[in-house]
């Protein structure tokens, strides 16, 4: 009777088709038989490793926003802006796996294992990191375990701290007069037995950007001078970059200890060394942090 009625009433036929699609999407076939969707089927797995950008939540990319909004499980880092949490689906499982200097909620091996376990549930997993995942974000370790277990994974880039903080601070990372390149350096090393190649860094004529170096400001300045970088080389600290609370303090390698000790930094912070610091331009902060944009 239903079929006959559907044949003579197009609207009812449309409703019947929608119901069949709904059942099919839930796991039922069009003929009423149950389709078993196994969580062990790799075709049901998906992991997106997403860069949330730096500080200002409006620096989140459109693609990142769309994927976050459709996530079932989100593993989130400490550096991800709390303002981005508003884009998390209400029913999403949110797991904090953040790491901060001296304060790790989980070890990296544990994060990798957790990421793998959540991926195997068959739900859409988002691994959300501050900045860009490929720049000092332990990306290789997480993609490696997923690849080894045949888990489909995609990486969505984000605005890294060097780009975002320098732009909001008015410091160009390169300049045709004094800096043809820029080098990103991590001040956080795997073990005390490892150290930066200070000799080569001190010989750099172009821009150096140190990540995770807030607790090592004086050491960085001293090591660069010790290995031959001139003492009047400009140096800047950008604290809480791209946020309304951003603070920028400039000095030279020789005056770094004295100048920076007079300020209190909250972190996270970025350190820029090079002539580009002297090329700093004035930034209209009212344009960056205004609540609305005129048509």
């Amino acid at each position: 009777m239903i079929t006959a009625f559907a044949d003579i009433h197009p609207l009812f036929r449309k409703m019947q088709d929608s119901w069949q699609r709904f059942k099919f999407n839930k796991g039922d076939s069009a003929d009423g038989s149950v389709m078993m969707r196994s969580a062990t089927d790799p075709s049901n797995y998906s992991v997106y490793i997403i860069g949330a950008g730096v500080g200002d939540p409006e620096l989140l990319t459109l693609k990142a926003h769309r994927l976050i909004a459709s996530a079932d499980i989100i593993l989130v880092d400490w550096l991800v802006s709390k303002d981005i949490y508003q884009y998390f689906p209400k029913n999403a499982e949110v797991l904090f796996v953040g790491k901060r200097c001296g304060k790790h909620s989980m070890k990296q091996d544990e994060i990798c294992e957790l990421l793998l376990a959540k991926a195997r549930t068959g739900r859409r997993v988002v691994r959300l990191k501050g900045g860009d995942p490929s720049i000092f974000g332990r990306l290789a370790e997480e993609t490696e375990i997923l690849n080894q277990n045949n888990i489909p994974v995609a990486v969505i880039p984000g605005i890294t701290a060097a780009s975002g903080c320098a732009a909001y601070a008015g410091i160009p990372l390169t300049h045709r007069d004094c800096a043809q390149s820029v080098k990103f350096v991590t001040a956080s090393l795997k073990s005390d037995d490892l150290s930066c190649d200070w000799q080569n860094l001190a010989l750099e004529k172009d821009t150096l950007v140190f990540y995770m170096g807030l607790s090592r400001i004086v050491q960085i300045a001293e090591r660069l001078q010790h290995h031959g970088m001139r003492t009047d080389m400009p140096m800047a600290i950008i604290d809480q970059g791209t946020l309304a609370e951003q603070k920028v303090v400039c000095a030279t390698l020789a005056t770094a200890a004295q100048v920076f000790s007079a300020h209190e930094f909250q972190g996270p912070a970025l350190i820029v060394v090079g002539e580009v610091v002297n090329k700093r331009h004035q930034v209209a902060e009212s344009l960056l942090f205004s609540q609305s944009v005129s048509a």
Side-chain angles (χ1 to χ4, degrees):
M1 179 64 67
I2 292 178
T3 302
F5 187 65
D7 289 339
I8 63 174
H9 201 297
L11 180 59
F12 190 89
R13 185 187 305 119
K14 185 176 181 180
M15 293 170 60
Q16 186 182 39
D17 290 343
S18 297
W19 170 246
Q20 294 290 359
R21 285 195 299 271
F22 174 72
K23 290 201 300 179
F24 183 80
N25 288 335
K26 287 186 65 178
D28 299 339
S29 64
D31 63 3
S33 61
V34 177
M35 295 177 61
M36 299 300 293
R37 289 190 173 186
S38 173
T40 61
D41 182 358
S43 65
N44 292 331
Y45 301 159
S46 65
V47 175
Y48 295 90
I49 301 179
I50 298 176
V54 52
D56 187 345
E58 291 187 318
L59 296 179
L60 186 73
T61 67
L62 290 174
K63 187 179 227 32
H65 179 278
R66 175 176 62 82
L67 294 171
I68 290 170
S70 64
D72 298 312
I73 303 172
I74 303 174
L75 282 69
V76 61
D77 273 353
W78 172 71
L79 287 174
V80 174
S81 170
K82 297 299 184 293
D83 290 331
I84 290 178
Y85 285 34
Q86 64 184 303
Y87 306 132
F88 293 1
K90 292 182 179 180
N91 295 327
E93 179 184 1
V94 180
L95 302 170
F96 181 75
V97 294
K99 297 195 297 293
R100 190 176 182 179
C101 183
K103 300 177 181 179
H104 290 193
S105 62
M106 297 182 71
K107 295 180 180 179
Q108 185 60 46
D109 289 346
E110 294 173 336
I111 294 174
C112 290
E113 291 295 337
L114 178 62
L115 183 61
L116 177 61
K118 292 301 180 181
R120 283 174 166 164
T121 65
R123 294 185 288 170
R124 176 173 289 188
V125 178
V126 162
R127 174 70 171 101
L128 193 59
K129 297 171 175 283
D132 183 275
S134 66
I135 300 178
F136 309 130
R138 310 292 291 269
L139 175 65
E141 290 151 276
E142 296 180 10
T143 54
E144 181 179 20
I145 193 170
L146 295 172
N147 288 165
Q148 288 175 345
N149 290 274
N150 298 315
I151 305 293
V153 58
V155 178
I156 311 302
I159 294 178
T160 189
S163 297
C165 294
Y168 276 48
I171 299 174
L173 290 177
T174 61
H175 193 288
R176 64 185 305 175
D177 292 338
C178 59
Q180 295 180 330
S181 68
V182 57
K183 180 176 289 186
F184 299 161
V185 185
T186 176
S188 178
L189 299 168
K190 187 174 182 180
S191 71
D192 294 335
D193 296 332
L194 300 174
S195 64
C196 293
D197 186 357
W198 294 108
Q199 184 66 48
N200 285 328
L201 291 178
L203 296 176
E204 284 285 343
K205 296 181 180 179
D206 293 329
T207 307
L208 298 176
V209 179
F210 289 87
Y211 285 64
M212 297 167 282
L214 184 57
S215 63
R216 298 178 175 87
I217 298 171
V218 175
Q219 180 186 28
I220 289 171
E222 290 177 346
R223 292 290 180 88
L224 290 173
Q225 290 179 90
H226 177 75
H227 288 85
M229 184 173 281
R230 70 176 208 267
T231 59
D232 64 345
M233 180 65 77
M235 184 178 190
I237 292 181
I238 307 171
D239 186 51
Q240 300 188 80
T242 76
L243 297 177
E245 298 78 16
Q246 174 180 282
K247 176 192 291 187
V248 183
V249 181
C250 300
T252 65
L253 295 184
T255 63
Q258 178 182 356
V259 172
F260 296 145
S261 63
H263 295 270
E264 184 176 346
F265 300 106
Q266 301 298 320
L270 199 76
I271 301 170
V272 182
V273 178
E275 287 291 348
V276 292
V277 174
N278 285 338
K279 301 294 184 180
R280 186 184 178 197
H281 62 268
Q282 187 172 359
V283 176
E285 293 186 358
S286 61
L287 300 182
L288 291 174
F289 302 113
S290 61
Q291 296 300 309
S292 62
V293 179
S294 300

